[in-house]
Amino acid sequence: MNTMQTLLWVALPYICAAVFVLGHIWRYRYDKFGWTTRSSQSYENRMLRWGSPMFHLGILMVIAGHVVGLLVPREWLYAIGISEEIYHLGATVLGTFAAVLTLAGLAILVFRRRTVPAVFLATTVMDKIMFVFLGATLLFGTAATVVHQVFGAGFHYRETISPWVREAMIFRPRPELMLEVPLLFQLHVITACLLFALWPFTRLVHVFSAPVGYLFRPYIVYRSRDEQRGSRAPKRGWDPVGAAPDPARLRRP
């Protein structure tokens, strides 16, 4: 175990996790106004209508697959009747479909952002950096799945990457588990860690926003139905042209 390996598989994940947590706290306290997706739907809607659902559906499937594959021990799956062959087939087929769907949606969104002038002008530097790391993470993960799981002999990441993640989460790092992991999987893990470190400073913070308040907020009254139209009596003003003045309004208050 050399210094670089310790840095990559012990120090880097914890540093990125700390930045992820503290960065969100800082962003929420000092930049609530910027806690938004920075929607550009008003600039262009045709490509967004295709790219956004594809990306979001695909990324939800990817996240669900990672949660099961990394955080759920395989013994638990065996206990409910999911064998290694069934899991491998489902993870490969569904994972490949989710990856292709996510990458296609992301490609449409990036193309839209680059070719529509109004959307491109609304793109910040952090948006561009985020797209680079998000795309790299997805590409490395997809390439690893295709090379090793689809066309290769198969790599049992639940014996290496999965226990490495679970042990790191309970502060018992085991970097030796990552030493024999194929390069594409290692690059996928590294870019994912860096993406988590960038997360609090990009538009990705909207993932942790839910419009729960809309369910309980009071009604907004735009027009009153009472004759007085408010809590104060109407002030004296001009009478309509051609109508006799109202004697009651001629009296001084």
PDB file of all heavy atoms in Angstrom, residues 18 28 104 115 117 167 172:
ATOM      1  N   ALA A  18     -16.874  15.146   3.208  1.00  0.00           N
ATOM      2  CA  ALA A  18     -16.919  16.312   4.100  1.00  0.00           C
ATOM      3  C   ALA A  18     -17.312  17.574   3.335  1.00  0.00           C
ATOM      4  O   ALA A  18     -18.137  18.373   3.809  1.00  0.00           O
ATOM      5  CB  ALA A  18     -15.558  16.498   4.773  1.00  0.00           C
ATOM      6  N   TYR A  28     -26.921  26.433   1.896  1.00  0.00           N
ATOM      7  CA  TYR A  28     -28.275  26.680   2.374  1.00  0.00           C
ATOM      8  C   TYR A  28     -28.337  27.906   3.282  1.00  0.00           C
ATOM      9  O   TYR A  28     -29.329  28.645   3.270  1.00  0.00           O
ATOM     10  CB  TYR A  28     -28.788  25.450   3.132  1.00  0.00           C
ATOM     11  CG  TYR A  28     -30.235  25.560   3.537  1.00  0.00           C
ATOM     12  CD1 TYR A  28     -31.246  25.349   2.606  1.00  0.00           C
ATOM     13  CD2 TYR A  28     -30.592  25.884   4.846  1.00  0.00           C
ATOM     14  CE1 TYR A  28     -32.579  25.454   2.969  1.00  0.00           C
ATOM     15  CE2 TYR A  28     -31.928  25.997   5.212  1.00  0.00           C
ATOM     16  CZ  TYR A  28     -32.908  25.777   4.272  1.00  0.00           C
ATOM     17  OH  TYR A  28     -34.239  25.897   4.636  1.00  0.00           O
ATOM     18  N   ALA A 104     -28.127   9.421 -23.206  1.00  0.00           N
ATOM     19  CA  ALA A 104     -28.849  10.034 -24.319  1.00  0.00           C
ATOM     20  C   ALA A 104     -29.537  11.319 -23.872  1.00  0.00           C
ATOM     21  O   ALA A 104     -29.484  12.347 -24.570  1.00  0.00           O
ATOM     22  CB  ALA A 104     -29.872   9.044 -24.876  1.00  0.00           C
ATOM     23  N   THR A 115     -26.210  24.847 -28.282  1.00  0.00           N
ATOM     24  CA  THR A 115     -26.669  25.353 -29.574  1.00  0.00           C
ATOM     25  C   THR A 115     -27.742  26.431 -29.469  1.00  0.00           C
ATOM     26  O   THR A 115     -27.954  27.168 -30.434  1.00  0.00           O
ATOM     27  CB  THR A 115     -27.205  24.202 -30.428  1.00  0.00           C
ATOM     28  OG1 THR A 115     -28.262  23.523 -29.728  1.00  0.00           O
ATOM     29  CG2 THR A 115     -26.092  23.210 -30.744  1.00  0.00           C
ATOM     30  N   PRO A 117     -28.698  29.884 -28.213  1.00  0.00           N
ATOM     31  CA  PRO A 117     -27.939  31.027 -27.680  1.00  0.00           C
ATOM     32  C   PRO A 117     -28.401  31.492 -26.305  1.00  0.00           C
ATOM     33  O   PRO A 117     -27.576  31.765 -25.431  1.00  0.00           O
ATOM     34  CB  PRO A 117     -28.154  32.111 -28.750  1.00  0.00           C
ATOM     35  CG  PRO A 117     -28.440  31.349 -30.006  1.00  0.00           C
ATOM     36  CD  PRO A 117     -29.194  30.142 -29.573  1.00  0.00           C
ATOM     37  N   GLU A 167     -17.740  -0.373   4.329  1.00  0.00           N
ATOM     38  CA  GLU A 167     -16.769  -0.223   5.417  1.00  0.00           C
ATOM     39  C   GLU A 167     -16.362   1.237   5.588  1.00  0.00           C
ATOM     40  O   GLU A 167     -16.166   1.706   6.717  1.00  0.00           O
ATOM     41  CB  GLU A 167     -15.538  -1.090   5.143  1.00  0.00           C
ATOM     42  CG  GLU A 167     -15.793  -2.582   5.183  1.00  0.00           C
ATOM     43  CD  GLU A 167     -16.169  -3.058   6.575  1.00  0.00           C
ATOM     44  OE1 GLU A 167     -15.569  -2.566   7.552  1.00  0.00           O
ATOM     45  OE2 GLU A 167     -17.074  -3.909   6.695  1.00  0.00           O
ATOM     46  N   ARG A 172     -14.394   2.455   8.770  1.00  0.00           N
ATOM     47  CA  ARG A 172     -13.425   1.371   8.833  1.00  0.00           C
ATOM     48  C   ARG A 172     -12.867   1.123   7.426  1.00  0.00           C
ATOM     49  O   ARG A 172     -13.176   0.124   6.789  1.00  0.00           O
ATOM     50  CB  ARG A 172     -14.066   0.085   9.379  1.00  0.00           C
ATOM     51  CG  ARG A 172     -14.499   0.179  10.822  1.00  0.00           C
ATOM     52  CD  ARG A 172     -14.848  -1.196  11.383  1.00  0.00           C
ATOM     53  NE  ARG A 172     -15.744  -1.946  10.495  1.00  0.00           N
ATOM     54  CZ  ARG A 172     -16.350  -3.082  10.835  1.00  0.00           C
ATOM     55  NH1 ARG A 172     -16.161  -3.594  12.049  1.00  0.00           N
ATOM     56  NH2 ARG A 172     -17.143  -3.700   9.995  1.00  0.00           N
TER      57      ARG A 172
END
